[in-house]
Every structure is written in structure tokens, then in C-alpha cells.
Amino acid sequence: MAARLRPRSLAARTSLLLIVGLGIIEAIGLTIHALDRIDFDRRMVEQEAQNRVGMIYRSIVETPPADRQSELEALHLPPSFHATLTPGPDPDMVDHAVGGPPGPPGMDRMDRMTRMVLMHPTDNLPPLPPHLRPRHIMFQPDRHSPRRAVAFLLPDETRWLTIHFVPPPPNPFRSPTFPTAFVLMTVAGSILIVWGVRRLIAPVGTLAAAAEALGRDVNAPPMPEDGPLEIAQAGRAFNTMASRIRRFLTDRTLLLTAIGHDLRTPITRLKLRSEFIDDDELRGKFLSDLDELESMVAATLSFGRDTSRREPMGRLDLTALLQTVLDEAAETHPDLADAIGFAEEPPTVTIHARPVALKRALNNLVQNAINYGGGVRITLQPPRPGGTSGTGAATDEEIVTILIEDDGPGLPPEDLERMFEPFVRAESSRNRETGGTGLGLAITRNIIWGLGGDIRLGNRTPHGLRATITLVC
């Protein structure tokens, strides 16, 4: 499951890793900021609460005793504040005289600040004169509950002003800029990471494209050698490798051409001399051997020269090309014409390829199917998106599939891949009537790979052989 969810491309994986790392770093930083903001908000809440308590006390103590109850009812208090005039304080409050020590250990910071606002000046509230200060202050310090209470013994009567309040909890997300800043930083960082990673990974795509082009055409243009140091070094190494491959192929072509040229002359001379043999049977065998030798030399030269890569690429009608190959095969084998054709009505497909080379590859496969299976059926499937090229690289281009099937004996499973190796033939084809040189499938695969496609062999059920060709549209 995790493997399916993991991005496939290097750019996506790198971007995801960096974005996750950025998110973790931002979460840590914002957590530290939130903790600091919580402490700041707690101080602000305490300051606001003790200012509110001081304002309530001042409003009541500056009112004549007879009007204090009506004044208290007229006050517009917040929902979290409740003030009453009582004969005495709540029984669970802690006694603390005015002007005494800072307070017992149970008294929290809020209680001390409430006491201080009545005795000392603050930014928002002036100090009370001595005759208005309470005679006693009692608190309800409860660290396990958010509720707070403070009771003031009024200076000119025996009643107590008791104020119950619940300070709001600190909230670092109260400000809209906090989550907005987080979202903006994440989005901006993600965009920058994706852009940077794509720029850094782009040379890898260029290298893959150059390798794909080299697989299709050995004379493809060299890869650019600019960019960062490592990319430039990779480009130079790739171009050096391509140059050595071209030199190797050139040397092989020259060698095979020289051998073929030197062999053609003695073969022709031997054919002329064989005409002077009086024994007709011996002369026929001699000429047959020379024809086979000449055919092997011609096939070897064709395989070595790889002339298909010199043919320019162009748009062609693949359906029409397959029909032409089948018509020519039916004309060559009129006795098998009914067994040669399409398995079903083919769609119209246009691809980018080398017409002569592709026709040669398809003709090799069709002739093999006729020779060893007594007929051939071709299925042309409609193009589909995506696939794998002959070099093994994934491609986003459309892929068309051709199935070439026969009803012959098939091949042993261990020989299905070996048949593409040069000079490898199946046991049943090693005779003069049906056997070739063992280069037909090797040439065919080189042509298909040169077009950016792929070819595979597989056995049919209950018998027969299937050649599956995939080509890039």
C-alpha cells in the first residue's frame, strides 16, 4: 500500500521530502511561538481581569452606601464576571489584610495583581486614596479550577463586595494572522521547493531523453555539456560514451563490409567453375551450398551495416503498411492465401517511423509465421497512452500494439528470448528447406528498438507462437 502511494518520479519524491521537512520545521517554530504567545496572552488576561476588578470596586466604593446595590445592578459586566454585596466573604476564601505580605503560598499571581491594582498605580487605573481602600481582601485561590473570586471589605460599612470571575483561557490562534501566516509560509515554501526541485532535476530528464534518442539513432545530436559541474561532467561522459559506441559500430561495419567484399569474389568464381562439373547432381549440390553461403554473407552484411538507421523518420499509415505486407505474403504463397490476413478489422493507425525498415521487420515476422506455422494472423490494437520503450524507459506517448500469431509448434520457453540473438536458430529450422541464417529476428529487434519500440515472443494455447510488437505513435 505504501509503495503505491509513494510518488514515482524523483522530482515528486524530492519535493515531498522537502515539503514534509519544511512542515515539520514550521510546526516546531510555530509551537515555540504558540507557547510564547500563550504566556503573553496569560499575562494580558490577568492584566485585563485585575483592571476589571479594580474598576468594579472603584465604581462601588465611590458610590454612597445606600445606592451601592442599585449601582451594582446597573453595571454592565461581562458574562464571565459576577459581583454581589454580601454580609461576609465566602467561607473558603483566604484572608489577606491590606498592606500585608505578598500573600500565602496558595495565592496565585492573579490574586496578587488584583490586590496591587488597588494599592499601586497602573497604566490604566490610578491608585485609590487611603480612605477608599478596602479594610480586608480575601481571595479564593483554586489552581484546579478556572474560576476566581475576590472579596473586599468596604472601608465605610460592614458589607463585602464579592466578585466572581472566570478569566478566558489564553488562545494563541485568536489572531487571524497566526493561521494565515502558517498557510502562506507553507504555500510559498512548497511552491519554491517544487520550482527549485524541477529546475535541479531537469538535467536528469535531459539525460534520459539523450539516452532514448541514442537508442533510436546512434547518430543523434550530442547532449549539452553546460549547467552545474556534476551535470556538465555527466554530459561529457555521456557524449564520450556515445562517441565510442559510434566508433565501435563504424569499425564493425567496415570490418564486415571488407569481409563481405572479399568473399563475394571467390563465391562468384566458384559458381562459374561449378558450371564445368559434369555430374548434374554434384553440380546442383555445389551451387546450393554456394547460394546458402552467399545468403549468409548478405544477411551478415545487412546486420552489420544497420542501414535502417540511415533512413529518415516520417509519418506513415501503419494499417496500410500491414495490409501491404500481408498482400505480398499471400502473392508469394498463393496456396496459403486463406490463412494469411488480419484476425479482425484493424483500426486506422498513423505512427512516426522508418517505412522501409519497419516493413522489413514486419515482413521477417510474417515470413517466419508462414514458414513454421503455415499461416499468419495479425491483430492491430488501437493506441493507448503510456508504456515502455525498447530501452526500458517509461514514455508518456501513445503506444500501439501489433500481434503476429501463427498455429505452429511454438518454441520452448527457454528459447523465447534466445531467438533474438544473432545466428541462433530453433532446432526445427536447421535445415536447408526452412532454416535461415539466424539473423532475421536479431535484425527485426534492432529495427524495432531503433524506432523506440519493443518486441517479445510468447507461446499460444494450445499451440502456436505470438510476436508482440509495441511502437510509439
Side-chain angles (χ1 to χ4, degrees), residues 60-387:
I60 298 301
V61 79
E62 291 180 347
T63 303
D67 300 330
R68 285 174 179 173
Q69 183 62 41
S70 58
E71 176 66 18
L72 183 62
E73 294 174 355
L75 291 177
H76 297 286
L77 300 179
S80 58
F81 279 77
H82 179 68
T84 57
L85 289 171
T86 59
D90 294 343
D92 56 347
M93 287 189 173
V94 177
D95 187 12
H96 183 64
V98 176
M107 184 188 301
D108 61 11
R109 189 167 179 269
M110 172 73 75
D111 301 332
R112 292 194 296 271
M113 293 182 66
T114 302
R115 174 179 172 271
M116 290 176 61
V117 76
L118 303 175
M119 313 301 175
H120 306 284
T122 65
D123 294 337
N124 302 320
L125 192 65
L128 288 171
H131 69 280
L132 294 180
R133 294 179 182 177
R135 290 180 289 168
H136 279 84
I137 301 177
M138 300 187 71
F139 299 98
Q140 184 183 24
D142 188 358
R143 298 183 180 274
H144 303 289
S145 173
R147 296 186 62 84
R148 296 289 184 269
V150 57
F152 303 98
L153 178 58
L154 298 176
D156 52 358
E157 59 174 314
T158 59
R159 287 186 300 177
W160 291 72
L161 174 64
T162 304
I163 303 174
H164 295 269
F165 59 94
V166 179
N171 182 12
F173 304 101
R174 184 180 294 112
S175 174
T177 59
F178 190 86
T180 303
F182 178 80
V183 172
L184 289 178
M185 286 191 298
T186 302
V187 172
S190 300
I191 293 175
L192 182 61
I193 287 174
V194 172
W195 176 81
V197 169
R198 289 179 65 88
R199 290 292 302 271
L200 292 175
I201 301 299
V204 178
T206 303
L207 180 61
E212 181 71 16
L214 182 64
R216 296 187 182 187
D217 184 5
V218 73
N219 296 313
M223 178 183 174
E225 299 181 3
D226 52 4
L229 177 62
E230 295 80 3
I231 300 300
Q233 290 177 346
R236 285 192 293 269
F238 179 84
N239 291 335
T240 302
M241 177 193 69
S243 177
R244 290 172 179 171
I245 291 175
R246 283 191 290 268
R247 186 169 64 248
F248 168 76
L249 293 177
T250 301
D251 293 343
R252 186 188 70 168
T253 301
L254 293 176
L255 176 62
L256 292 177
T257 302
I259 293 175
H261 181 270
D262 293 341
L263 286 178
R264 286 180 183 275
T265 300
I267 290 174
T268 303
R269 190 163 52 244
L270 287 173
K271 281 187 175 183
L272 292 174
R273 290 176 179 175
S274 65
E275 297 295 334
F276 296 99
I277 299 176
D278 296 332
D279 189 337
D280 293 340
E281 182 179 359
L282 180 60
R283 184 173 61 252
K285 292 181 179 180
F286 199 83
L287 290 175
S288 178
D289 287 340
L290 289 175
D291 289 339
E292 184 179 357
L293 180 59
E294 188 175 29
S295 176
M296 293 176 62
V297 171
T300 303
L301 288 176
S302 178
F303 178 74
R305 283 196 300 266
D306 197 13
T307 55
S308 65
R309 294 186 184 274
R310 298 192 180 97
E311 182 186 0
M313 299 280 286
R315 301 297 298 181
L316 62 89
D317 189 336
L318 180 60
T319 308
L321 180 63
L322 288 171
Q323 186 64 61
T324 301
V325 172
L326 290 174
D327 291 342
E328 292 179 355
E331 292 177 0
T332 306
H333 304 85
D335 54 325
L336 300 175
D338 294 337
I340 299 174
F342 284 105
E344 57 186 39
E345 186 67 24
T348 300
V349 178
T350 303
I351 65 172
H352 195 67
R354 298 181 177 92
V356 176
L358 181 57
K359 180 181 178 182
R360 179 183 179 189
L362 295 173
N363 187 67
N364 284 346
L365 296 172
V366 168
Q367 292 299 326
N368 283 347
I370 294 174
N371 291 336
Y372 304 120
V376 61
R377 292 296 177 186
I378 295 180
T379 302
L380 178 59
Q381 299 179 354
R384 69 181 190 278

Side-chain angles (χ1 to χ4, degrees), residues 318 351-353 358 362 383-384 388 397-402 447-449 451-454 469-473:
L318 180 60
I351 65 172
H352 195 67
L358 181 57
L362 295 173
R384 69 181 190 278
T388 303
E397 299 175 289
E398 287 191 332
I399 300 296
V400 62
T401 302
I402 306 171
I447 293 174
I448 298 300
W449 279 2
L451 298 175
D454 196 12
I469 303 170
T470 54
L471 293 172
V472 179
C473 292

